[in-house]
Amino acid sequence: MSSQPNVTRVGSDGVAWLASAGTYPRSTLALWEERPDAPVVLPCGTVFDVVSAPATFGRRMLDRLWDEGPGSGPVAVFRGRTLLFTAPGTAQRLPSLLAWEEWGSHRAQAVPPLLCHGTGDAVTVPPPAGDGTPGAARWLAAPDTRHPWLPGPEVVLWAAVRAARAAVRISIFPPADHDAKVYDVSRRR
């Protein structure tokens, strides 16, 4: 059983932290005060980066972070993707670490691509008060402080590699040859 937090609403300190990422934080705060159910688009790269994974694989990564690792920062889901909020600079460094691990090579075809959003990118951020509508942007682990812990590229790589290993069965034995003739040699004369 996972010990992940079940925080789905953003606290006032978390709202302030998210709004600080925008060009006009006071406007974002005013919007959320008037419409706490409105998602907004915020830039990445200064307050946070975002690593986006397909929903199922992202959930596996999150399970690894919480069950075997240090936990996660804020995490959201949007349009079939899991969005892990990470330390600024992660989007720049993570791709080279993934390349080092031969991510996406012929040996790891079952491993999905991770999208890294950093400086110059923007993401849709779920509203502070989500209504739980299926398919809507929502928080799995909402920010609740002005300075949430955000995993860096090494921690995200660690979770991705472990999630991939759990998803892909690796065997040292070659696949069975179904046309091979099998003889029972257990009874000798």
Side-chain angles (χ1 to χ4, degrees):
M1 183 163 154
S2 178
S3 59
Q4 295 176 22
N6 190 15
V7 180
T8 56
R9 290 184 179 266
V10 181
S12 60
D13 286 343
V15 169
W17 174 72
L18 286 168
S20 73
T23 307
Y24 304 103
R26 290 189 308 187
S27 296
T28 302
L29 288 171
L31 170 70
W32 274 337
E33 221 172 87
E34 185 177 315
R35 294 191 49 218
D37 60 340
V40 298
V41 175
L42 291 176
C44 300
T46 55
V47 175
F48 56 78
D49 281 0
V50 171
V51 174
S52 172
T56 302
F57 189 77
R59 187 58 191 231
R60 285 186 191 130
M61 287 177 60
L62 194 56
D63 287 343
R64 294 297 175 270
L65 285 167
W66 281 102
D67 293 344
E68 304 167 13
S72 73
V75 179
V77 291
F78 182 63
R79 293 189 177 168
R81 308 276 307 173
T82 300
L83 308 176
L84 291 102
F85 285 70
T86 61
T90 299
Q92 181 181 359
R93 179 75 176 120
L94 185 59
S96 62
L97 293 175
L98 291 170
W100 180 262
E101 289 290 331
E102 298 180 1
W103 199 264
S105 71
H106 67 282
R107 293 184 311 162
Q109 290 176 354
V111 178
L114 300 179
L115 305 177
C116 299
H117 305 284
T119 303
D121 298 325
V123 295
T124 299
V125 175
D131 60 4
T133 304
R138 64 184 172 88
W139 292 101
L140 293 179
D144 57 356
T145 70
R146 287 184 185 264
H147 304 285
W149 178 77
L150 300 171
E154 294 84 5
V155 172
V156 175
L157 175 69
W158 176 89
V161 167
R162 279 167 179 72
R165 286 181 184 157
V168 178
R169 294 182 141 246
I170 299 172
S171 174
I172 60 170
F173 299 105
D177 182 357
H178 295 291
D179 294 329
K181 294 184 185 202
V182 178
Y183 300 98
D184 182 2
V185 293
S186 62
R187 295 187 302 181
R188 292 189 169 173
R189 292 185 198 183

